[in-house]
Amino acid sequence: MLEQLKKTGKDAIAILKEISDMAALEDFRIKYLARKGRVTQMLSEIRKLPPEQRRAAGQLANKIKKDVTEAFEQLKSTLQSQQQKSKEFIDVTLPGIPTNIGKPHVITQTINELLEIFGRMGFTVAYGPEVEDEWHNFVALNIGPEHPARDPFDAFYIDDNILLRSHTSPVQIRVMERTKPPIRVVAPGRVYRPDTVDATHMYMFYQIEALVVDEGISMVDMKTAINQFIHAYYGPEIKWRLRPSFFPFTEPSAEVDLLWLDKHGKENWMEVGGCGMVDPNVFDAVGIDSEKYTGWAFGFGVERLAMRKYGITDIRLFFQNDLRFLKQF
Ligand code: DAH
């Protein structure tokens, strides 16, 4: 009997050694280790032995069962990890999965390009808060509470004295409050106005502000700088003009128009922003000596500049985030 047990054990181990796949291993389990399997049966047969033989046979059978089960489990885990590895195999010859690569929004691209041009012209960049107080947005810019010019700069108020800035001109004030002339900065950023939305108006848009303050600065410097910028951005063919205008913070003031030919070759002037010589009242508000210093400033609409550059006819396209539009830039 003991010999027979030993043989069953040996056979089982020998068979296991030959197994190299999970299906064969499962066959083995059924044949040997399952409830009706040989090793399991072997144990139940021991009960039929006369009592004096049972003990030795039982011990042997248990040991065989343990050895076979261990060998089985070990093989099983080896085969499983082999299978796992073959699943992880990477076929480097397969074509890749295409990924969509993003890029900066056309407005970001435009601002970067503008800052680059002004950087070359010797301007540094300044930023101001989008949530402003009345002092910076209006009062220091010579727009008093009763000033009739308050209306065009109609604003979104958050609190009595706090509002979303309606232009980037308050950054001029912030720069002059903390910097002594000579000053030469550009300030890009978002501005907010409760405008009715149409092809050329949005309740939020971008402006880029410029400010130059030094001794002996004149309107000629302003016109030269604007001309230089416009040609650097649009190339030599572009036509532009200054048109006399009014702003409380500049005297004299002008608006800047770009020439735009429509589909039929008809000439249209498109306003892109305002400019002028800094009003002495503004210098007084920030404690810069208006007898000694003069300066010029402008504020341009970034979307308007981009619209002229790319032939975009509706400002709303910038904010709809339609990929068919954005992908073109
Ligand atoms: N802040 C004006 C606006 O939003 C534009 C402007 C006009 C800015 C004249 C200036 C300036 O710096 O000198 O309409």
Side-chain angles (χ1 to χ4, degrees), residues 153 166-169 172 193 207 209-210 247 249-250 254 273-276 297-299:
F153 299 100
S166 56
H167 50 178
T168 42
S169 301
Q172 290 186 34
R193 286 182 202 177
Q207 285 188 334
E209 191 84 12
F247 296 101
F249 31 92
T250 43
C275 61
F298 73 59

Side-chain angles (χ1 to χ4, degrees), residues 19 32 48 67 86 105 119 147 152 166 195 203 218 244 264-265 268 276 281 293 311 313:
I19 289 176
Y32 284 87
K48 298 177 200 149
D67 289 349
S86 68
H105 189 279
H147 202 295
S166 56
D195 277 345
Y203 39 80
S218 75
H264 316 290
N268 285 303
N281 289 342
Y293 293 105
T313 48

Side-chain angles (χ1 to χ4, degrees), residues 141 143 152-153 166-170 172 191 193 205 207-211 222 246-255 271 273-278 296-300:
L141 286 162
I143 318 174
F153 299 100
S166 56
H167 50 178
T168 42
S169 301
Q172 290 186 34
V191 303
R193 286 182 202 177
F205 56 99
Q207 285 188 334
I208 184 162
E209 191 84 12
L211 173 69
M222 179 185 87
F246 172 80
F247 296 101
F249 31 92
T250 43
E251 181 58 37
S253 305
E255 271 168 89
E271 181 208 323
C275 61
M277 299 304 292
V278 179
W296 63 262
F298 73 59
F300 290 164

Side-chain angles (χ1 to χ4, degrees), residues 3-4 31 33 50 61 72 95 126 176 182 189 191 198 223 272 287 294 324-325 327-329:
E3 282 312 306
Q4 208 192 325
K31 238 186 232 159
L33 294 172
F72 167 85
M176 288 190 282
V191 303
D198 64 22
K223 195 173 172 189
V272 290
T294 49
R324 290 169 301 181
F325 172 75
K327 275 183 176 164
Q328 297 177 47
F329 304 96

